[in-house]
Amino acid sequence: MADIPVESPITGVIVEISVSVGDTVEFGDVLVVIESMKMENEILSDYDGVVKEIRVRNNQNISQDDVMLILEE
Amino acid sequence: MPIDKNRDMWKPGEPWEQAIDDMKYVRGLAAELGGPERVKRQHSGGRYTIRERIEKMVDPGSFLEAGPMVGAAEFDDEGNMVEFTPGAYVMGLGEIDGRPVAIGGDDFTISGGSPHNVRKHSRQFTQPLATQYGIPYIQLVEGVGHSAKADEAAGHMGLPGGDLWWKGVELMKRVPVAAGIMGSVAGAPAAFALMSHFTVMVKEQSQIFPSGPPVVRRAIGEQMDKEELGGYKRHVHESGQVDNVAESEEDAFEQIKAFISYLPNTTNDVAPRVETGDPPDRRPEELLNIHPPIRRRGYDPRKLIKLVVDNGEFFEMRRHWASSIITGFARLDGYSVGIIGSDPMKLAGAMDGWAAEKYAHFVDLCDAFNLPVVIFLDMPGFMLGSHAERIATMRRGIRALIASAEAKVPKIEFNIRKAYGVAADAAHSLGHPDGLNLRFGWPAGEWGGIPIEGGVAAAYRREIENAPDPEAHRAMIEGRLLKLRSPFRAAYRGDVVDLIDPRETRRLACTFVKLAQPMLHKLAEREKRAVRP
């Protein structure tokens, strides 16, 4: 049960958090949506796991490489 | 078969039959590699020996070994051999799908592929053969480079000389070079591997670095295991040092075969056409709605590419690195092409410094091997912000622009959606003035020097600030400009050859590639430089 930090691949503003703590997610599921470069960038899960912690909120600015949430494998 | 120290070996003047027997005997010794124990250790690590690797790469029975008897031999007073260590490099000629190739690789079971008592190297046989005969060169690398024991044996420490490398550079100018990084690779073998047009490493089995963890710890005090230091996550995903990752050794062999299948035998040839059975006038219906109608949303660009190319077969290179740009090979009406695409799901498709490097390298590779380039562009511009600035995004972007402008191979571009600013120029710079360079627009096309949103905010800042309702004023100006953004306006002005129904994309791309063939044959005659990985 390893913790997997999910880092933002892009700098922008969080416009949607598509999961809640305790949700089971699969590879390819949308985790959050970040508005950047005039696009709504869907950030997809690279792993199967359970959402353990969410560290961002809506309308928050986020920098590339910041941890957004923690998945538990 | 262990060595028989009492074997009375053939001497000059004795019957030929005995000489033939002895040849078989010595070959048998060489086939033992580092001996059953070492071979067992290689297998228990889940790894094949070099002989097994070569057998799996080439057509059955086609391997013609070069230097099968080369090794370190010791003799008694009678002239009989009493010790024999095979040279730790197995190599020769073979065929892949009936096409001749030169192939070789390190034998890790003998002193980690780096024995100090015998020099046997691809420079002696396979490299010159590949260059002279103009055939692809494949190296399966698993070795750790220079051994300090070699210095002790030689009694002096040699000044590193360029003589190691020039044959490799000649190869890079002349024929496709592909490397499988099959295990832990350091030093010179690592450098040989990277001196290739295509590299692939096996997940959690391969690592590559100038020096491994013990040397790193000694030099800079950093403690890291070899996988973390130079495994696939480091080098395929993060640094881009290695092009592709394979799930298994077999997968690595298949990727190497796929890579060379798209390339001609030399940089002075044109890749042969292959009958693929996919009609060039096929109209992929799904292309019409491959975009979401909302322009702020992404879509699956690989699906788009696969719908266009022959039988949906697309061999992607460097997928996991700088992934806002997609690069790979495919066929159109049976002709080999290089494909460049945007991935709107990564960095919104924007070009950052690494994507620009990836772009420039791939264009150079296509130009060297006379492959026409098909571009599916959806480019919002250079990536903005401090991360992109930190990696010299614009300077590297200019490098991509120059690569594109200098590439003489014909290019065709489909403007799928966005094309903004200098970064879009980098991708669609028209290059050679006599080149067959065509641009088509899809109905979703939108392009310009700067997108309306940012452009209005910058150019009309004072006017907006002074308006009674700045937000409404901004929206009003944006609405005015939105009308100008229609690709029809650009089509009336001749910015594109034509606006097209997306379902026509394949037919036009196939027509273009066929048209390009005579020119490719002329371009093949150019002298080439080594493509720098």
Side-chain angles (χ1 to χ4, degrees), chain A residues 3-65:
Chain A
D3 282 358
I4 305 162
V6 178
E7 295 166 354
S8 174
I10 193 167
T11 300
V13 178
I14 304 269
V15 293
E16 183 187 309
I17 298 167
S18 317
V19 293
S20 307
V21 172
D23 283 2
T24 300
V25 295
E26 288 177 12
F27 177 92
D29 284 355
V30 179
L31 299 174
V32 300
V33 179
I34 298 174
E35 189 178 294
S36 177
M37 297 297 288
K38 303 161 199 83
M39 289 278 286
E40 291 164 11
N41 300 277
E42 295 181 320
I43 310 305
L44 312 180
S45 181
D46 288 332
Y47 300 92
D48 296 339
V50 174
V51 180
K52 189 180 172 188
E53 191 184 331
I54 295 175
R55 296 192 182 173
V56 291
R57 53 191 163 66
N58 257 327
N59 296 317
Q60 178 189 329
N61 286 300
I62 188 153
S63 292
Q64 189 177 329
D65 300 336

Side-chain angles (χ1 to χ4, degrees), chain B residues 379-452:
Chain B
M379 169 62 69
F382 283 125
M383 187 62 202
L384 305 177
S386 59
H387 269 79
E389 299 302 333
R390 220 168 274 152
I391 54 174
T393 287
M394 272 196 101
R395 176 175 62 72
R396 291 180 207 276
I398 295 308
R399 194 186 176 111
L401 197 149
I402 292 173
S404 195
E406 283 198 330
K408 289 188 166 49
V409 286
K411 289 169 245 150
I412 186 171
E413 178 184 273
F414 295 97
N415 288 278
I416 300 301
R417 196 160 63 175
K418 296 176 186 174
Y420 284 110
V422 179
D425 281 337
H428 64 206
S429 170
L430 289 186
H432 194 251
D434 301 327
L436 183 64
N437 298 300
L438 304 174
R439 295 199 284 180
F440 292 93
W442 280 25
E446 52 169 281
W447 43 75
I450 187 168
I452 290 172

Side-chain angles (χ1 to χ4, degrees), chain B residues 65 86 116 174 185 201 234 241 286 361 410 412-413 423 473:
Chain B
E65 189 169 348
H116 60 275
R174 177 117 174 95
V185 178
M201 66 195 293
R234 176 77 67 209
Q241 175 149 280
E286 280 177 87
H361 168 261
I412 186 171
E413 178 184 273
H473 196 75

Side-chain angles (χ1 to χ4, degrees), chain B residues 464-478:
Chain B
I464 291 170
E465 278 172 4
N466 293 335
D469 181 348
E471 199 49 30
H473 196 75
R474 188 184 53 78
M476 188 268 291
I477 300 172
E478 283 188 12

